[in-house]
Amino acid sequence: ILDAVMDKHDLVTLIVGYNKVDGDAAEKLAEFIAREDCPLTTLGLSNADVDDGECFRFIEALATNNTLTNLDLSKNLIGSDENLNVVNPDLITGGEAIAAMLASENCTLKKLNLEWNLIRFNSAVEIGDALALNTSLEELDLAYNAFGADGGMAVGQSLIENTKLLNLDLRNNGITPQAGFCIAVALRQNLCLKKIDLSGNPLGEIGGKSLMSLPMDLGDRLDLVMDSCNFKNSDDKCWFDPEGPSGLYSKEAMAAREEILEKKEVFTPSVENLIMTVDPTLRDNETHAKKIKDPSKHRLQLDGVKQQLHPSLDLSQAYDRAVLIELLRFIADKDGCAIIQPDSTQTQVSDNFVELWYTDEGSSSKEVISLVRKIETTTPNDGDDELIKWINGDRDPKEIFNKFDVDNSGEIDREELKKVFKEIGKDASEREIDRVMTQFDLDGSGDIEYDEFIAFLHQLQQETSEMQLKRKYMVKEGEKHQYRVPSSGTVQFKVLYNPRISAPGEGSSTSNETLDRILSQVKKTSGESSAMLVMSLSLMRLGVEEAQRVFDELLKGLGDRVETLKVLLPVIANPQQVRVFIDMNLRDRNPYRPGVKVKVAPNELTLEQGGLAQIIGVNEDDTLNIAWVDGGRKDVVTKEQVTLLGAAAVTSETEKRRLQGALGNAYYPIMGIPSAHYKLDMSKIGDRMCLQKLAAINNTETTTRRMAKLGDTSQKGNWMNFRNEFYRGQPFTISAWFLDPVPKQGILEFDYVSTFRPVDTTKPLSEKRFLQLMTQCFGDNPEDAIVLKNLAKETKYNHEHGLWSPKIRGDMKGKERFGLQLATLMGEVTPSAVEVAEERAKRELEDRPRTRGEEEEERRKEAEKNSRPQSRDITNNSRNIDDSIRDALRARMAGMTSLGGGSAGGEKSGDVTAGLPAFVPGNRFSIMMKQKSAGAAMGAFGKMKRMSNLMMAAAKIQKRAKKRINALKLLQQMQDLVSMKWISALQARFMLDKYTKMIGISSEDMKLKLNLTCSLHQRIVDLYNFDIVLGALDLEEQAHIINRLGWLNTWSPIKPDTYYELSQSRREERLVSKALLHLAVEEPGDNWWNETFQWNRFDKVIPGWELPITWFTESGMPSKGILKLEYYSGEGEGKHECAPRWRLRNALSGLVLAPCPEFLRCDERDEDGNWKYRSQLRSKYNQLTTAQKMLASGGIMLNYREGEGNKKRII
């Protein structure tokens, strides 16, 4: 046949597949291909028994062929001799021959089919490498070979360079997670490939996630197919975690990792130093030498260190180069991430940047490569411009509101809201309108008030900004183009990742178009669609509308609304949208909807017997049409006859509580109420996610305060909002290194306090909306408005915005309990020390002369004691029985059946009941009988009493448990309602009072009251009035709150009038003392009252102590001791010649969380033209500027300065 066709010059396609082309036929075909005048453009040799030798001959002949563009070598034996390469290195396999052809400049092939061969090992690697050099091939089918990890990574490396290939088929090639990761990284760099099929490969979680992120970044540019892949496969060689890249990448790190893996008992000095740098808690503090703790006792902790130690990256290796490329993308995309030099001691990140050591191949000198982040944003459309004008004040907001309030009702209804969207060029769906109404319509009336309308516009502008396309990449300083990672050399560096939450309007949310591509990608996959969608969630940041689409898709696979929300909520953009999304999807549904299963009770008139049925419809008269489960016959029943079964009986509140249980500790940061007490098991994924969320919130909040040049309100001066930490049962300090990355073992317990503050223009809920909120929680109570007004009057809240509310003054009795409780919580005082101090105080009290009042009280108690009835001993074991009990026993004994003898008294001998035998004094039998009878009666009485006590105790426990469950439900409901609302301190106090009164919380349930207080704290606008909230707590509860939230987060120098007990050994209290020193000097009058000082808590106070001049220097102020005082500033009326200095108080507000109120910062004058709040400065120095500079440099420093007239004055 081949002889016959060799002279046909018009033959362009030759298919000889499914024949045995070998021997002479193979040689003849090679000869035909090698002819210069060979006309073939397509040659088909599928299933033609072509082995390595014959393949080599064909490829050799192609070297001189310039016409063949399509070659099919599928379903052959290419690669069968691959194992012979081990014993015969000179052997050239068919795969190696094909690789050489593809790398040749003369290659003309455009389509090559190699599926269903045996290409593997070195041949697979060489074919992969050849793709980097090929400039002709457009379609390559490698399906059903064995490229594996090495071949897959070679393909990935080459795709970075290849600029011609359009379609690539890698189905069922054993592509591992490591190779899948390399291919995913390469596909972002490749701009020409249109389609790649990776179906049937064990891509694992990392490979799958990396590939699933491509539709989000590449759009419609690439058609990715991953059908029937194994996403659960693990690969130890794929050590890089794209979502947690933190750690040290260097030769020293790898050496330390190897020593940890070897489980050595003694490490080399350099490795020990490196381990202590990574985890300072492993330092052995008991010895002065720089040694780590016994390695044999801290293997789990050393395993955590090992996770942060990585090798330096060899850029000539495909995987290492892919790791660096992905790292640069991660740093460009995620706020709070940077690459620093490996010897740097930096632990926190403010800007995203890169500084790494690069060593070229064959060189020993290090070059520092520095990169910066560049962000390109699309311009807004016309509708966005109009919205921005509304927000920025180019148009009067009231005018905008009135424009859409067509009926002049003072509120925007649903139809008017649609016109708002239309005005700015947005086509809002019914679901979008539902979302807005759910968020802003608090009472369900269908209307939005003016303040809520303005808040809606702000949120709409933020969401619009987030949807704009933002392209981020790393560049060298001064250059415009993205940095391209070299393909050779070695790099060493350290990765820091302090995750932050993007501020509203600044982040990038997953758009509908991107989501379309992801869902389309998921639907291509048979059997794994839900798993793929869940896997890709970590790559998304969803708004409400986008989350709803994902929810609907996930619900099909998971089938449970709560489980679906558990998976979805962590990736919703912000807590505000999380709350709206939950309310939209956990609404109470109509329980009598068609399809619901019910249990039907019989009815005497209409239904003889009941059973199980299914609702098929509801009639106009509110009766139900049902179909019986057995038989299918139909009936009509009333709603009173049916009992709902299954999900129909579940309410939205029940499902919300289920959701809280499913999310566990992560519920609070996800819902935007992070201020709480946490106890986390770091071996659990949910608890690690909780800590990661809190770390991101902490980094965001502290960075915001730093940028605003505000003070550090942390407990330990480390810019961390974590307090009272315990790790593995020991006191601990959470720092940036501990959270980067979070540990995977140990129990971590701590308090978190949120320092997020609203913008100055934020207003609390109006009284109308607030009372509506209270109705949702507690039910309708017409007296609530009156109670709220009375509370405002009691706290003088309406007078100067509560600045002069009543304070703790005068009687000092019992106030020391606050300081003692706080010292105990802080660990400064042990309970045994308290007992010793109380005993000593008692002895001192006994030694001093009694006052007349005390003597009268003692006489009264003694008389009361003597008037009590005396008990008598009636048994041999000396049990004392009260006379009343004895009388009852006698009466009971009189009715008992006699053990023998005749009747007593006038009773008949035939009666069943007989009296006790007569007691004969001195008769030992009578005495014994009397004692025995009394003992038996006492035993019966004791059993009855014990049973009664048990029943009473059980009833109390049941009642207390029911009360606690109700208290928990109400607490969770209140937390949910206020989590996205800003309230005033007065409203918070009202809620706390109402909660306490309605539930009747006992001392055992104090924790619930404290939890509510912490949740309210972070939502109060006027936080300088937090003392009003503290007024609802007793002194011990106040100590608990100060311990959990901190002095600097609850106290304000705007309202310093209160009692203080400050330990100078604790940072927060020392700073408050410094602020009070400033106020004492600058504000007129005698404003320190009853001040005392003692070196130790249980020592006597220093007699006649007065504030010494040495305290007014940083070195002279003591670092220990207890300062007690009351501060007084005249109650706003200049009493005792005391008055505030508002500019100083304003400056000192930068030290604490509560900002100075806006009305104090304005230049407002009273009717006489004097400054209403701001005091006139007494010198040329600007206190405000000076104090702010001192705050910015790390806290208030007390120093002397020479003023006018050579008088020293304090700044």
Side-chain angles (χ1 to χ4, degrees):
I1 294 174
L2 291 173
D3 276 334
V5 301
M6 288 186 70
D7 294 328
K8 286 189 64 64
H9 300 292
D10 58 346
L11 181 66
V12 294
T13 300
L14 177 61
I15 309 296
V16 292
Y18 292 87
N19 291 285
K20 194 169 183 179
V21 183
D22 58 2
D24 293 340
E27 188 62 33
K28 178 62 70 172
L29 182 58
E31 180 185 341
F32 179 36
I33 296 172
R35 289 174 52 173
E36 291 184 0
D37 59 347
C38 176
L40 292 179
T41 60
T42 299
L43 175 61
L45 287 170
S46 178
N47 203 1
D49 197 35
V50 177
D51 59 20
D52 282 295
E54 291 155 352
C55 177
F56 171 73
R57 182 71 183 91
F58 293 146
I59 299 304
E60 187 179 40
L62 280 176
T64 58
N65 186 295
N66 296 319
T67 60
L68 196 67
T69 59
N70 187 345
L71 177 61
D72 185 355
L73 288 171
S74 62
K75 301 178 182 177
N76 283 294
L77 304 175
I78 302 172
S80 57
D81 294 338
E82 187 68 38
N83 290 330
L84 298 178
N85 258 333
V86 179
V87 295
N88 186 9
D90 296 331
L91 175 69
I92 300 178
T93 64
E96 292 171 336
I98 293 172
M101 175 195 67
L102 293 176
S104 171
E105 295 180 356
N106 300 324
C107 180
T108 58
L109 284 180
K110 291 186 177 182
K111 185 176 181 180
L112 176 61
N113 189 349
L114 295 172
E115 69 172 355
W116 284 103
N117 278 282
L118 302 172
I119 302 173
R120 59 200 190 279
F121 303 147
N122 190 60
S123 294
V125 173
E126 292 206 12
I127 289 177
D129 290 340
L131 292 178
L133 302 174
N134 184 271
T135 58
S136 64
L137 202 62
E138 295 178 354
E139 293 185 33
L140 177 61
D141 190 343
L142 297 171
Y144 295 94
N145 282 282
F147 268 59
D150 294 336
M153 287 190 289
V155 171
Q157 177 88 318
S158 293
L159 286 177
I160 297 176
E161 312 296 335
N162 187 284
T163 58
K164 196 68 176 179
L165 196 63
L166 301 178
N167 294 319
L168 177 61
D169 192 340
L170 284 169
R171 287 173 296 152
N172 296 86
N173 257 286
I175 302 297
T176 64
Q178 190 181 28
F181 170 75
C182 290
I183 292 172
V185 170
L187 291 175
R188 278 197 178 85
Q189 311 292 314
N190 187 295
L191 301 178
C192 62
L193 196 68
K194 300 298 182 184
K195 180 179 180 179
I196 183 169
D197 193 338
L198 290 163
S199 300
N201 285 296
L203 296 172
E205 185 178 358
I206 290 181
K209 277 187 178 181
S210 301
L211 289 161
M212 277 301 296
S213 67
L214 295 177
M216 302 174 64
D217 297 333
L218 304 184
D220 298 327
R221 194 180 83 197
L222 178 69
D223 182 10
L224 174 65
V225 183
M226 292 189 295
D227 197 11
S228 302
C229 288
N230 179 3
F231 297 117
K232 298 179 181 179
N233 180 45
S234 60
D235 183 0
D236 292 337
K237 294 182 179 179
C238 190
W239 50 264
F240 177 72
D241 182 4
E243 295 181 1
S246 301
L248 178 63
Y249 298 70
S250 68
K251 297 176 182 178
E252 293 77 8
M254 196 57 191
R257 182 183 179 89
E258 289 174 355
E259 289 196 21
I260 293 174
L261 284 171
E262 292 171 4
K263 296 186 177 180
K264 288 188 174 183
E265 297 297 329
V266 179
F267 296 113
T268 58
S270 60
V271 169
E272 279 201 349
N273 290 332
L274 186 58
I275 290 174
M276 288 186 289
T277 301
V278 174
D279 187 350
T281 64
L282 283 170
R283 182 189 297 272
D284 188 357
N285 294 321
E286 295 181 2
T287 62
H288 295 290
K290 292 185 177 180
K291 294 285 185 181
I292 67 170
K293 298 175 182 177
D294 185 357
S296 62
K297 297 179 181 179
H298 297 84
R299 294 296 181 195
L300 287 176
Q301 208 166 343
L302 287 169
D303 284 341
V305 173
K306 182 187 67 179
Q307 303 301 322
Q308 301 182 56
L309 302 176
H310 311 292
S312 57
L313 300 182
D314 182 356
L315 301 183
S316 64
Q317 301 297 316
Y319 184 67
D320 286 10
R321 189 184 184 202
V323 167
L324 183 57
I325 294 173
E326 178 62 16
L327 269 174
L328 295 182
R329 187 188 74 84
F330 186 90
I331 291 167
D333 187 58
K334 304 290 184 181
D335 290 336
C337 189
I339 287 180
I340 61 176
Q341 297 183 42
D343 60 349
S344 173
T345 58
Q346 183 177 346
T347 59
Q348 291 186 322
V349 176
S350 56
D351 299 316
N352 291 37
F353 66 92
V354 171
E355 282 187 1
L356 54 80
W357 290 350
Y358 173 73
T359 305
D360 199 357
E361 192 173 355
S363 173
S364 59
S365 59
K366 298 174 183 176
E367 174 190 354
V368 177
I369 296 178
S370 299
L371 307 175
V372 294
R373 180 167 67 166
K374 187 173 183 179
I375 302 176
E376 295 177 353
T377 307
T378 57
T379 56
N381 58 41
D382 295 338
D384 296 338
D385 281 336
E386 181 66 17
L387 180 61
I388 292 170
K389 289 179 181 178
W390 293 357
I391 301 300
N392 292 342
D394 294 346
R395 295 182 58 182
D396 182 14
K398 195 67 178 177
E399 177 188 339
I400 300 167
F401 181 82
N402 293 334
K403 176 181 178 180
F404 295 105
D405 182 19
V406 180
D407 55 2
N408 295 321
S409 63
E411 296 174 327
I412 298 289
D413 61 26
R414 190 181 186 90
E415 293 302 317
E416 292 168 341
L417 186 62
K418 291 180 180 179
K419 295 178 182 178
V420 176
F421 279 102
K422 187 176 180 180
E423 180 78 11
I424 58 176
K426 294 186 181 296
D427 185 17
S429 62
E430 287 297 323
R431 180 177 286 173
E432 178 72 4
I433 299 296
D434 284 343
R435 190 260 296 183
V436 176
M437 299 305 294
T438 299
Q439 181 174 350
F440 294 101
D441 178 20
L442 296 182
D443 59 352
S445 64
D447 299 317
I448 297 176
E449 292 183 344
Y450 170 72
D451 289 341
E452 296 159 346
F453 176 74
I454 300 303
F456 156 66
L457 292 182
H458 277 282
Q459 179 176 304
L460 190 60
Q461 191 268 335
Q462 292 165 358
E463 293 173 358
T464 302
S465 175
E466 289 180 0
M467 288 301 176
Q468 293 176 6
L469 179 62
K470 298 180 176 71
R471 181 170 177 257
K472 305 174 183 178
Y473 53 93
M474 306 303 292
V475 300
K476 281 190 173 183
E477 287 193 67
E479 296 186 3
K480 297 181 179 180
H481 300 292
Q482 183 175 353
Y483 175 74
R484 191 173 180 84
V485 175
S487 57
S488 64
T490 304
V491 290
Q492 300 181 74
F493 52 86
K494 184 190 294 184
V495 177
L496 296 181
Y497 182 33
N498 306 141
R500 292 200 292 267
I501 299 174
S502 299
E506 294 182 3
S508 298
S509 292
T510 305
S511 65
N512 268 312
E513 293 76 13
T514 302
L515 192 57
D516 286 338
R517 294 191 290 268
I518 295 173
L519 294 178
S520 174
Q521 180 67 52
V522 167
K523 290 175 182 178
K524 292 178 186 176
T525 306
S526 61
E528 293 286 342
S529 57
S530 293
M532 287 187 67
L533 190 52
V534 171
M535 187 172 58
S536 62
L537 282 178
S538 62
L539 309 169
M540 302 184 195
R541 186 172 184 264
L542 300 172
V544 173
E545 193 168 355
E546 293 73 32
Q548 189 64 53
R549 296 180 59 195
V550 178
F551 177 86
D552 295 340
E553 197 67 33
L554 275 177
L555 190 59
K556 297 175 185 176
L558 298 178
D560 187 314
R561 292 194 295 177
V562 171
E563 288 300 317
T564 306
L565 286 171
K566 174 187 173 183
V567 172
L568 193 56
L569 293 184
V571 300
I572 295 181
N574 56 60
Q576 192 174 29
Q577 293 179 339
V578 168
R579 169 61 49 209
V580 174
F581 189 71
I582 291 175
D583 290 342
M584 289 176 63
N585 287 282
L586 291 185
R587 289 175 175 170
D588 283 328
R589 295 175 291 177
N590 176 21
Y592 300 104
R593 59 190 181 277
V596 170
K597 289 185 178 182
V598 294
K599 184 178 180 181
V600 184
N603 184 288
E604 295 180 357
L605 300 176
T606 61
L607 202 63
E608 294 183 358
Q609 61 181 11
L612 297 179
Q614 191 175 33
I615 298 175
I616 57 177
V618 182
N619 300 316
E620 292 183 1
D621 60 354
D622 222 23
T623 57
L624 305 175
N625 295 323
I626 63 168
W628 296 97
V629 173
D630 52 344
R633 65 186 180 88
K634 300 178 181 179
D635 270 314
V636 178
V637 297
T638 63
K639 290 183 178 179
E640 289 74 16
Q641 288 179 253
V642 302
T643 301
L644 297 170
L645 300 177
V650 177
T651 64
S652 62
E653 284 303 318
T654 304
E655 289 194 312
K656 286 179 181 179
R657 301 291 73 83
R658 263 190 68 209
L659 177 62
Q660 182 171 0
L663 289 172
N665 287 302
Y667 174 84
Y668 298 100
I670 288 175
M671 300 301 294
I673 44 176
S675 292
H677 179 78
Y678 296 87
K679 189 173 184 179
L680 307 180
D681 182 350
M682 301 313 298
S683 64
K684 296 180 179 179
I685 295 176
D687 283 2
R688 290 202 299 272
M689 179 180 70
C690 172
L691 186 57
Q692 289 168 343
K693 290 280 184 183
L694 289 173
I697 294 171
N698 172 80
N699 294 334
T700 304
E701 293 177 344
T702 55
T703 300
T704 301
R705 287 190 66 81
R706 280 183 168 184
M707 293 176 64
K709 296 184 178 180
L710 296 172
D712 177 11
T713 65
S714 65
Q715 184 181 31
K716 299 167 185 174
N718 57 354
W719 288 98
M720 302 296 281
N721 294 337
F722 299 90
R723 302 174 53 83
N724 310 316
E725 308 101 301
F726 281 82
Y727 183 50
R728 301 179 186 270
Q730 299 296 322
F732 186 71
T733 299
I734 293 179
S735 56
W737 67 264
F738 180 78
L739 299 172
D740 184 21
V742 297
K744 295 184 179 181
Q745 296 97 20
I747 302 298
L748 179 65
E749 190 171 3
F750 58 88
D751 292 299
Y752 185 87
V753 53
S754 173
T755 57
F756 176 71
R757 291 282 83 211
V759 296
D760 291 339
T761 55
T762 302
K763 296 180 180 179
L765 284 173
S766 65
E767 183 177 329
K768 174 185 174 183
R769 287 302 197 200
F770 175 72
L771 293 175
Q772 290 172 351
L773 208 65
M774 293 301 95
T775 300
Q776 292 184 42
C777 282
F778 302 102
D780 189 19
N781 187 349
E783 295 183 359
D784 278 354
I786 300 173
V787 173
L788 186 62
K789 289 179 181 178
N790 290 339
L791 183 61
K793 185 177 180 180
E794 176 190 339
T795 59
K796 296 186 178 180
Y797 188 78
N798 296 328
H799 176 63
E800 303 293 3
H801 303 267
L803 287 183
W804 304 110
S805 58
K807 291 296 174 184
I808 304 171
R809 292 188 58 250
D811 184 15
M812 300 285 288
K813 185 177 180 181
K815 290 181 184 162
E816 288 80 2
R817 288 191 298 116
F818 167 81
L820 188 61
Q821 180 68 37
L822 184 58
T824 305
L825 293 170
M826 292 285 189
E828 181 182 293
V829 175
T830 62
S832 59
V834 175
E835 293 176 4
V836 171
E838 289 177 348
E839 184 64 27
R840 186 174 62 186
K842 184 178 179 180
R843 288 198 305 270
E844 291 176 354
L845 186 64
E846 291 172 350
D847 293 340
R848 67 175 175 80
R850 299 289 189 271
T851 63
R852 179 180 297 178
E854 290 171 341
E855 291 176 352
E856 290 178 356
E857 180 67 15
E858 286 184 5
R859 283 195 294 270
R860 185 188 65 78
K861 288 182 179 180
E862 185 67 25
E864 183 180 330
K865 180 179 179 181
N866 294 332
S867 66
R868 293 174 184 167
Q870 298 296 316
S871 58
R872 289 180 292 178
D873 187 2
I874 66 169
T875 61
N876 289 336
N877 58 0
S878 302
R879 285 188 295 179
N880 294 325
I881 302 177
D882 190 272
D883 286 342
S884 59
I885 298 177
R886 182 182 179 86
D887 293 340
L889 287 174
R890 282 178 174 172
R892 181 174 180 80
M893 289 161 60
M896 294 179 65
T897 303
S898 175
L899 297 176
S903 60
E907 294 183 88
K908 297 179 181 180
S909 60
D911 292 343
V912 176
T913 303
L916 291 171
F919 174 69
V920 180
N923 186 313
R924 65 187 181 89
F925 293 103
S926 294
I927 295 173
M928 183 177 65
M929 182 63 70
K930 179 180 178 181
Q931 291 175 346
K932 186 174 181 180
S933 300
M938 279 302 298
F941 178 77
K943 289 181 181 179
M944 292 174 61
K945 187 174 182 180
R946 286 194 295 273
M947 184 63 70
S948 175
N949 289 340
L950 286 173
M951 293 175 66
M952 291 174 63
K956 286 181 179 179
I957 291 173
Q958 186 178 14
K959 184 178 180 181
R960 190 161 57 244
K962 186 176 181 180
K963 182 183 289 187
R964 184 170 178 82
I965 290 172
N966 291 334
L968 278 169
K969 287 181 179 179
L970 187 55
L971 170 63
Q972 292 159 356
Q973 187 180 0
M974 294 177 73
Q975 287 175 329
D976 290 347
L977 285 175
V978 303
S979 61
M980 290 297 110
K981 310 291 189 299
W982 289 106
I983 58 176
S984 68
L986 183 71
Q987 292 168 346
R989 168 68 180 272
F990 179 87
M991 294 176 73
L992 194 57
D993 286 344
K994 186 102 174 174
Y995 180 69
T996 306
K997 182 179 180 181
M998 178 161 284
I999 301 301
I1001 296 179
S1002 64
S1003 59
E1004 297 176 1
D1005 294 326
M1006 180 179 70
K1007 182 179 177 181
L1008 300 181
K1009 192 174 178 182
L1010 298 178
N1011 289 344
L1012 178 58
T1013 306
C1014 291
S1015 298
L1016 294 173
H1017 171 268
Q1018 61 190 12
R1019 305 306 304 173
I1020 295 176
V1021 176
D1022 54 331
L1023 198 56
Y1024 59 89
N1025 278 325
F1026 191 67
D1027 61 303
I1028 294 176
V1029 180
L1030 290 176
L1033 309 175
D1034 62 34
L1035 292 175
E1036 291 186 6
E1037 290 170 340
Q1038 289 182 27
H1040 277 275
I1041 287 297
I1042 298 299
N1043 177 55
R1044 288 178 60 169
L1045 300 179
W1047 269 101
L1048 300 179
N1049 295 313
T1050 55
W1051 177 76
S1052 172
I1054 298 299
K1055 299 175 69 174
D1057 296 40
T1058 189
Y1059 166 72
Y1060 297 89
E1061 190 168 326
L1062 304 170
S1063 172
Q1064 302 308 301
S1065 62
R1066 294 197 288 263
R1067 173 184 177 270
E1068 296 174 284
E1069 296 173 46
R1070 183 177 170 83
L1071 285 177
V1072 173
S1073 300
K1074 289 182 178 183
L1076 292 173
L1077 287 174
H1078 277 271
L1079 293 172
V1081 173
E1082 285 295 330
E1083 295 190 343
D1086 185 11
N1087 39 37
W1088 276 33
W1089 290 16
N1090 304 320
E1091 64 267 26
T1092 64
F1093 184 77
Q1094 56 199 101
W1095 287 109
N1096 293 298
R1097 182 165 296 279
F1098 300 120
D1099 288 350
K1100 294 182 179 179
V1101 298
I1102 299 174
W1105 183 86
E1106 291 184 358
L1107 182 62
I1109 194 68
T1110 56
W1111 277 45
F1112 293 103
T1113 62
E1114 183 65 23
S1115 59
M1117 189 174 181
S1119 58
K1120 71 172 187 175
I1122 310 297
L1123 173 65
K1124 299 179 183 179
L1125 70 128
E1126 284 185 287
Y1127 196 87
Y1128 182 73
S1129 52
E1131 303 179 45
E1133 299 176 3
K1135 294 181 179 179
H1136 300 279
E1137 299 181 352
C1138 295
R1141 291 290 180 261
W1142 295 115
R1143 285 180 68 91
L1144 177 59
R1145 293 190 180 190
N1146 181 13
L1148 294 175
S1149 294
L1151 176 70
V1152 300
L1153 179 61
C1156 182
E1158 182 68 23
F1159 67 87
L1160 284 180
R1161 282 179 273 169
C1162 64
D1163 294 338
E1164 186 178 352
R1165 296 177 182 267
D1166 59 21
E1167 296 177 355
D1168 298 328
N1170 300 318
W1171 294 115
K1172 189 172 181 180
Y1173 297 111
R1174 193 179 66 176
S1175 63
Q1176 293 287 341
L1177 297 179
R1178 293 178 295 172
S1179 70
K1180 62 182 180 180
Y1181 299 105
N1182 186 321
Q1183 289 182 4
L1184 181 62
T1185 303
T1186 305
Q1188 284 178 339
K1189 285 181 179 179
M1190 291 187 292
L1191 289 171
S1193 64
I1196 298 180
M1197 307 297 290
L1198 298 170
N1199 297 299
Y1200 282 112
R1201 183 178 62 193
E1202 293 293 333
E1204 297 177 359
N1206 294 323
K1207 292 181 180 180
K1208 291 183 177 180
R1209 62 188 306 275
I1210 310 301
I1211 61 170

